[in-house]
Amino acid sequence: MSLLFKGRAQGAESVKIGMFQLIIMFFTDHLRQAVNSLGELWRSPFASLMTIGVLGFSITLPSTLYVLVKNTEQISQQWEQASEISLFLREGVTDASAQQLLTRLRLWPEIAEVAFISADEGLKEFQALSGLGDALNYLETNPLPAVVLVVPTSKHASPTSAGILLNKLRKEREVEIGKLDIEWLERLYALIGIAKDLVTLLAVLLFFAVVLIIGNTIRLNILSKRDEIVVMKLVGATDAFIQRPFLYTGFWYGLLGGIMAWITVFIILLWIDYSMQDFMEKYQVNFNLTSMDLSTLIFMLLVSVSLGITGSLLSVQRHVKDIEPR
Amino acid sequence: MIKFEQVSKTYPGGQQALRKVDFHVEKGEMAFLTGHSGAGKSTLLKLISIMERPTVGRVLINGHNLSSIKRREIAYIRRDIGMIFQSHQLLMDKTVFDNVSLPLVIEGHTRKNIAKRVDAALEMVGLRDKAKSLPITLSGGEQQRVGIARAVVNRPPLLLADEPTGNLDPKLSMEIIRLFEDFNQAGVSVFIATHDLGLIARMKYRTLTLKNGQMITDGLDEQPNEGLLV
């Protein structure tokens, strides 16, 4: 509606069109502007590629690290399955009562396997492995306790739940000491935690840089179209109308940068996987690097697009307003 | 249609462009605004299109006080005013069609409607066959007519022209003025700023004369040079 002239219809209202057609028009208009903005990028391929490259590489770095951290986590999860609890039984517990304990433990839902090493067996094993040999025969009594080895089910194998299980086992009256060798796992976890924090920090810093770079690129775009913007304002364009193509430019920078990051991450991971195969073969470990899954990819593209739009939005809100016909 | 009430404009820095200007251009009227360069013509037009705001006084269009128009509403005000500039203000890398259709695209008309109206506007200014040309390939007079087509394409009730015949020879200038007369006869109020006194002398239209920011004559100008050469 016209503000000054009552009854003077402005814009689409002046022609009778239905709601449906209005919606269709809205989308076709946006699509047209989106394609126009893409065409604009195409017309200056070198400058566009540089901006897209900055965005792509900035996203590549945290994404690659993220995938590597994820893989490390997976490996450590495999190791963790092997965690074992050793229960040293009290002196004076007979083999018969130890067997009773074993039968009881086999019924626990958290426990997958139990094995019993009697004091004598323990001594024999020690003798064989330690190299002390006959020297041990001079001992008057066997100083070694009987040991029960408990393997928790995979569900209860993580450091925390295995810890809980250990505490429960310690309360059994035959048990003197319970030991769970997971300290190194806990350390590994802590290290992965730190690595994750570093990846996040790096990502946040790079994302800030990307927003600023996109913002500056769009600012230069706006300034180079100064005359056009002045003309559009003179014939009654709102700021929102003028801003839209620049926002679409930001969107395309984000999407294309994201796709570029995806391809780069893919190549880097192939390369790392290849060099790791060699390494793994020497250690006779079979391990395949898992690449980015679909949800991670979509998340990465979303982040990339929103960075592009955010940078563009910051710039556009400031600079389109500043350009006024004089 | 356009009413100025005791309007003064002082630019930051102390330069006083307009002093207590008072006039009223009626609805459907065609009027000229003259004066030497620097007399305040451009400032006066800028107050109407809200490129500037008055320091003192009120500017009204169709009875609406422009000081109550907020910044974000200015775009909508400009859709009601067809503006024509000495420098044409055309987009040189866009075709004539794209230039003329700009106000309609901004208002969100349908493609079909845009094509129809642009065609009609170009027909009026006699440039129908140049729709696909770039403005840069056109002569000065033709470029000015593209500007006029753009100004009238959304049928505004008010036309403002700032030195529309600035760089044109007398014959072309007259053609442009005849175009404005056609629009005026169709009911559009027309307000033209020009220092081309010879042009005004050949017609009997109301002429407002500015000198040093003050309105010195307002009325049918029988001897247009009198007021200016004092």
Side-chain angles (χ1 to χ4, degrees):
Chain A
M1 259 310 279
S2 166
L3 291 172
L4 298 177
F5 300 92
K6 229 177 154 185
R8 169 173 143 77
Q10 260 182 347
E13 300 155 38
S14 56
V15 231
K16 287 271 170 288
I17 47 175
M19 192 65 201
F20 180 70
Q21 206 184 348
L22 259 179
I23 293 168
I24 294 285
M25 262 180 67
F26 176 81
F27 282 110
T28 47
D29 274 355
H30 273 263
L31 191 70
R32 189 177 297 121
Q33 275 177 321
V35 172
N36 280 347
S37 295
L38 187 62
E40 202 102 321
L41 292 186
W42 185 253
R43 258 165 264 147
S44 52
F46 191 67
S48 307
L49 268 181
M50 285 209 288
T51 310
I52 292 167
V54 167
L55 208 141
F57 290 132
S58 304
I59 294 172
T60 300
L61 190 54
S63 303
T64 312
L65 291 177
Y66 171 80
V67 171
L68 291 180
V69 167
K70 262 264 138 100
N71 273 290
T72 319
E73 252 179 349
Q74 266 174 10
I75 306 172
S76 64
Q77 264 164 21
Q78 281 171 18
W79 286 331
E80 193 181 303
Q81 305 303 327
S83 72
E84 219 177 36
I85 299 170
S86 314
L87 300 175
F88 300 94
L89 302 185
R90 279 176 209 285
E91 231 179 302
V93 174
T94 60
D95 281 5
S97 54
Q99 286 302 336
Q100 272 176 6
L101 172 69
L102 252 65
T103 343
R104 260 184 291 137
L105 290 183
R106 283 205 181 91
L107 295 175
W108 287 23
E110 301 99 316
I111 294 173
E113 252 178 83
V114 267
F116 178 67
I117 303 166
S118 69
D120 292 341
E121 281 168 352
L123 188 65
K124 268 180 213 149
E125 202 179 320
F126 185 65
Q127 221 164 6
L129 291 174
S130 64
L132 291 174
D134 289 342
L136 291 174
N137 290 335
Y138 293 100
L139 290 171
E140 279 170 29
T141 53
N142 181 357
L144 294 178
V147 176
V148 174
L149 292 177
V150 175
V151 179
T153 57
S154 57
K155 233 167 101 187
H156 296 271
S158 74
T160 38
S161 38
I164 294 167
L165 178 62
L166 175 65
N167 279 331
K168 216 169 138 191
L169 289 167
R170 275 183 185 143
K171 291 195 187 100
E172 292 298 317
R173 67 191 144 73
E174 293 92 343
V175 176
E176 166 104 67
I177 310 167
K179 231 184 138 190
L180 173 64
D181 195 17
I182 50 162
E183 251 174 29
W184 68 277
L185 250 186
E186 276 166 351
R187 280 186 200 143
L188 182 68
Y189 260 77
L191 270 176
I192 291 175
I194 291 171
K196 270 186 179 168
D197 285 351
L198 281 176
V199 170
T200 315
L201 183 71
L202 194 71
V204 169
L205 284 177
L206 283 170
F207 291 173
F208 263 115
V210 164
V211 166
L212 295 180
I213 288 166
I214 300 268
N216 198 42
T217 309
I218 300 283
R219 182 182 71 89
L220 293 175
N221 269 357
I222 292 172
L223 292 183
S224 75
K225 293 200 167 178
R226 196 193 168 83
D227 295 341
E228 196 176 330
I229 292 173
V230 166
V231 170
M232 284 170 55
K233 286 204 171 181
L234 281 175
V235 297
T238 56
D239 283 359
F241 182 86
I242 297 169
Q243 286 172 4
R244 224 185 288 156
F246 296 109
L247 292 179
Y248 273 115
T249 306
F251 166 81
W252 288 118
Y253 277 145
L255 187 66
L256 295 174
I259 290 172
M260 180 176 167
W262 173 37
I263 295 168
T264 320
V265 169
F266 184 74
I267 293 170
I268 291 177
L269 290 181
L270 269 187
W271 183 60
I272 291 180
D273 197 27
Y274 178 77
S275 53
M276 263 187 35
Q277 284 308 323
D278 199 39
F279 171 82
M280 291 293 188
E281 255 165 43
K282 290 199 177 90
Y283 282 79
Q284 292 176 339
V285 184
N286 193 13
F287 173 71
N288 272 314
L289 204 61
T290 38
S291 197
M292 227 183 257
D293 54 1
L294 188 68
S295 59
T296 317
L297 172 65
I298 290 171
F299 179 71
M300 195 184 81
L301 287 180
L302 277 181
V303 167
S304 175
V305 165
S306 46
L307 288 178
I309 293 178
T310 309
S312 165
L313 202 65
L314 285 178
S315 187
V316 128
Q317 278 180 340
R318 213 184 137 67
H319 299 290
V320 169
K321 207 164 140 190
D322 284 351
I323 297 176
E324 280 291 340
R326 285 271 164 262
Chain B
M1 180 58 83
I2 307 169
K3 196 172 186 190
F4 274 55
E5 291 178 353
Q6 294 290 309
V7 174
S8 297
K9 172 69 186 176
T10 310
Y11 282 110
Q15 186 210 348
Q16 200 164 25
L18 291 177
R19 297 162 212 248
K20 296 195 168 172
V21 172
D22 246 323
F23 72 92
H24 187 191
V25 175
E26 297 289 342
K27 196 170 180 171
E29 200 181 344
M30 175 150 159
F32 284 92
L33 175 68
T34 72
H36 287 298
S37 45
K41 295 192 301 286
S42 297
T43 303
L44 197 149
L45 290 184
K46 282 178 180 171
L47 292 179
I48 301 173
S49 55
I50 328 189
M51 285 190 236
E52 295 289 351
R53 301 274 195 175
T55 318
V56 191
R58 303 205 300 165
V59 179
L60 298 104
I61 298 182
N62 199 30
H64 293 273
N65 188 352
L66 292 188
S67 65
S68 65
I69 301 295
K70 293 178 200 75
R71 195 194 163 272
R72 51 185 305 131
E73 293 170 335
I74 294 174
Y76 298 96
I77 298 300
R78 292 191 183 142
R79 294 177 190 185
D80 287 332
I81 305 172
M83 282 189 278
I84 293 138
F85 312 89
Q86 182 178 8
S87 54
H88 316 317
Q89 300 279 20
L90 299 177
L91 303 175
M92 287 302 170
D93 56 341
K94 301 265 163 70
T95 64
V96 168
F97 182 93
D98 287 344
N99 268 287
V100 175
S101 66
L102 190 59
L104 300 177
V105 172
I106 287 167
E107 286 184 12
H109 286 261
T110 57
R111 288 274 124 184
K112 221 172 100 190
N113 200 27
I114 288 174
K116 210 171 70 190
R117 286 208 189 184
V118 171
D119 201 47
L122 285 176
E123 173 85 55
M124 272 191 268
V125 298
L127 287 175
R128 209 174 159 194
D129 53 331
K130 303 276 189 192
K132 290 201 173 73
S133 314
L134 290 177
I136 204 101
T137 64
L138 304 179
S139 70
E142 285 171 328
Q143 287 189 16
Q144 190 56 282
R145 294 203 312 246
V146 174
I148 293 170
R150 186 183 62 192
V152 299
V153 75
N154 62 346
R155 300 173 196 154
L158 173 61
L159 268 184
L160 284 188
D162 189 4
E163 305 283 0
T165 61
N167 304 316
L168 305 177
D169 61 43
K171 188 172 161 285
L172 280 173
S173 301
M174 208 58 208
E175 276 176 24
I176 300 283
I177 297 298
R178 292 280 172 247
L179 263 176
F180 285 128
E181 283 183 320
D182 291 345
F183 296 126
N184 182 235
Q185 258 141 40
V188 178
S189 312
V190 182
F191 193 48
I192 303 167
T194 180
H195 58 251
D196 190 348
L197 296 170
L199 187 75
I200 304 169
R202 277 177 272 159
M203 285 173 295
K204 291 279 176 279
Y205 283 110
R206 182 179 168 196
T207 304
L208 307 161
T209 308
L210 277 174
K211 192 184 179 190
N212 291 333
Q214 278 176 311
M215 192 69 84
I216 53 172
T217 51
D218 178 359
L220 269 178
D221 207 349
E222 303 291 345
Q223 292 152 301
N225 289 359
E226 198 185 60
L228 275 169
L229 297 174
V230 176

